[in-house]
Amino acid sequence: MSVQERKERERAARERLIVATARELAEQQGWDAVTTRRLAERIEYSQPVLYSHFRGKREIIGAVALQGATELAAAVRAATAAVDGPRARVHALARAYLDFAERNPAVYDAIFQLDGGLAYAQEETPEPLKDAFAALLESLGEVAGKGVHEGLFTEVFWASLHGVATLTRARRLPPEDTDRRLELLVDRLPVT
């Protein structure tokens, strides 16, 4: 291994450490607790080293969002692959989405609530974000209904899931009724 390859590998490892530490701190104490000073202390590198990887907290949030989008897409695909039938796949998708949001609130916020400097719904949208949407579209597209634009249907369904996730977490909706909400949403789909 060349010196350059070793340096690149070490740099990538430091970057993964920064992202993992930011994510851990955000999940434990919220995003307000994630500062470059605290991250530098936790990873035992100086702030200039941290800034050599990320220009600031916004870029760190973006990195966590991309990592989280990849995980969300994998969770949705795993859940939908485990069941048969369009309605069952949509229910599995919805449950996996809400479970992800509940288990990873800081990551969910990084993806959908916070400014991580990422472009959404544009040509320059990063691949992990596009793939997370594609994971939803794969199951939702087949239940959109005749003559309904699959992408728009997926956006509306996703918005519904996002609303349930955020309103439940904010205690605006009682969590004990989440499954009933999902049943209402899924049972109204135009599939048999």
Side-chain angles (χ1 to χ4, degrees):
M1 172 186 316
S2 73
V3 171
Q4 182 64 27
E5 289 172 327
R6 181 182 54 77
K7 285 183 178 184
E8 286 174 14
R9 196 173 73 205
E10 289 171 354
R11 180 173 176 75
R14 266 193 318 271
E15 193 165 299
R16 285 190 304 273
L17 177 63
I18 293 166
V19 171
T21 304
R23 182 176 174 163
E24 179 184 319
L25 186 56
E27 291 294 1
Q28 291 171 353
Q29 300 176 29
W31 279 104
D32 287 342
V34 179
T35 64
T36 54
R37 173 173 284 143
R38 288 185 82 186
L39 285 174
E41 288 171 4
R42 282 202 175 199
I43 64 173
E44 298 178 345
Y45 283 101
S46 67
Q47 282 185 293
V49 169
L50 194 130
Y51 282 115
S52 74
H53 291 274
F54 299 99
R55 285 182 277 183
K57 182 176 176 176
R58 182 177 186 220
E59 284 190 4
I60 294 168
I61 290 170
V64 170
L66 294 177
Q67 186 181 73
T70 299
E71 293 169 11
L72 175 60
V76 165
R77 286 189 175 111
T80 58
V83 296
D84 289 323
R87 192 178 303 278
R89 276 190 290 280
V90 172
H91 191 274
L93 172 151
R95 185 77 260 163
Y97 183 97
L98 294 177
D99 288 347
F100 180 88
E102 184 179 348
R103 282 191 321 272
N104 306 285
V107 173
Y108 188 84
D109 285 350
I111 301 169
F112 298 117
Q113 303 284 99
L114 301 175
D115 179 9
L118 303 173
Y120 286 78
Q122 299 173 28
E123 202 167 302
E124 63 271 10
T125 298
E127 269 315 304
L129 297 176
K130 288 179 180 179
D131 189 51
F133 185 79
L136 300 175
L137 181 63
E138 289 162 11
S139 293
L140 292 168
E142 68 180 322
V143 299
K146 188 174 181 174
V148 176
H149 187 279
E150 294 175 358
L152 291 176
F153 178 80
T154 300
E155 289 172 356
V156 170
F157 196 92
W158 166 39
S160 297
L161 290 177
H162 178 69
V164 170
T166 57
L167 291 170
T168 301
R169 189 167 115 205
R171 305 228 185 274
R172 302 299 193 270
L173 295 175
E176 61 272 10
D177 292 331
T178 298
D179 286 333
R180 289 179 47 213
R181 285 185 198 93
L182 288 184
E183 287 173 23
L184 284 171
L185 192 58
V186 175
D187 287 347
R188 300 301 183 264
L189 296 173
V191 294
T192 57

